[in-house]
Amino acid sequence: MTFVLGLTGSIGMGKSTTAALFVKRGVPLHDADAAVHRLHRGRAAGPIAAAFPGTVIDGVVDRAKLGAAVLGKPEALRQLEAIIHPLVREEEEAFVAGCRKEGAGLAVIDVPLLLETGGESRCDAVLVVTAPAEVQRERVLARQGMTAEKLAASLSRQMPDAEKRRRAHFLVDTSRGLMAADRQVGSILTALAGRPGRVAAAKLQAES
C-alpha cells in the first residue's frame, strides 16, 4: 500500500526546499508547479491562448503576460484554474497510480493550494511547511520581479498559515536552516515508517 503524503505551504515558506529533501532521500514526488510549467509548453498552451489572447508566444505560455492578465481579476483567475487544474490532477493521478503499481511505500504530492482546494481528501496525511511571517515576506520580496502588490495577491488566495498549521499532521519549520529542515524531514519519515493507511489525526512537530 502506498501512503500518500500531501506537501503544502504558502508562498515563501520553503516548500520547494523541503520537497527537494524528500527527493534527496529517494522518495517519489509529484510537483504540481513543475507540472504547470510542462503544461504551459504543451497541452495547456492552446486553451490558454484561446482564453487569454496574446499570452502564448510560439506555442509556449508567457508567464509574465499571463500573470498580468489575471492579476487582480478573480473571474479571469477562475477561468485559468478551470483550464489548468484538471490537467495537473490528471498527471498527479497517473503519478500515484504508478507509485502503487511499483509498490512504493510512500509518495509525496507537492501542491501549493492543497488545503484551499480540498486536496487533503486525496492524501493519507498532510505536511505543512511554515516559517514566521517576517521571514516569509523577506524571502518573497527578494525574488526578481516580486512586488508587495503581487505578494498581497498571492496571500489573498492562500489559507492563513495558522489555519494550515492547525490542519496539518506534520510541520516543517524552514526558518532554522537547511540542516534543521532535513532533520525534520528525517523525523517525519521515521514516524511514517510502517504505518499503513491514514495517519492518526494527532499532529507531529518534527524535532530539529
Side-chain angles (χ1 to χ4, degrees):
M1 179 183 294
T2 299
F3 191 100
V4 179
L5 179 64
L7 171 64
T8 193
S10 298
I11 185 173
M13 291 301 195
K15 183 176 61 62
S16 296
T17 297
T18 303
L21 294 174
F22 279 96
V23 173
K24 184 185 77 170
R25 291 170 178 265
V27 179
L29 181 140
H30 180 265
D31 183 338
D33 280 341
V36 170
H37 281 276
R38 288 194 299 271
L39 290 165
H40 280 175
R41 300 189 300 270
R43 291 192 293 160
I48 288 174
F52 305 97
T55 63
V56 176
I57 309 299
D58 296 328
V60 178
V61 174
D62 185 310
R63 291 173 65 85
K65 292 181 183 295
L66 183 60
V70 301
L71 182 64
K73 302 173 184 176
E75 184 56 40
L77 183 59
R78 283 192 290 271
Q79 186 179 7
L80 175 60
E81 290 174 343
I83 295 170
I84 288 289
H85 285 181
L87 297 176
V88 175
R89 179 72 180 274
E90 282 181 20
E91 293 204 1
E92 178 194 299
E93 290 174 348
F95 163 78
V96 173
C99 289
R100 287 177 174 147
K101 184 176 180 180
E102 294 172 7
L106 174 66
V108 176
I109 57 171
D110 175 356
V111 184
L113 298 178
L114 182 76
L115 296 175
E116 289 85 346
T117 59
E120 67 269 31
S121 63
R122 308 195 302 273
C123 305
D124 296 307
V126 173
L127 162 60
V128 168
V129 183
T130 188
E134 60 272 18
V135 174
Q136 176 191 31
R137 182 175 180 82
E138 181 180 350
R139 287 173 177 172
V140 176
L141 292 181
R143 296 178 182 178
Q144 185 175 5
M146 181 55 68
T147 64
E149 179 187 22
K150 289 180 180 179
L151 172 58
S154 292
L155 292 176
S156 71
R157 295 174 52 219
Q158 297 178 344
M159 184 181 293
D161 182 58
E163 177 62 15
K164 287 185 177 181
R165 286 188 277 109
R166 189 185 71 80
R167 296 191 184 194
H169 298 93
F170 302 101
L171 299 173
V172 169
D173 183 344
T174 63
S175 67
R176 292 175 283 171
L178 184 62
M179 290 181 64
D182 190 44
R183 287 194 295 270
Q184 292 171 73
V185 168
S187 295
I188 290 168
L189 292 176
T190 298
L192 290 177
R195 286 195 179 196
R198 290 183 175 269
V199 75
K203 298 178 179 62
L204 183 149
Q205 169 74 62
E207 295 180 357
S208 62

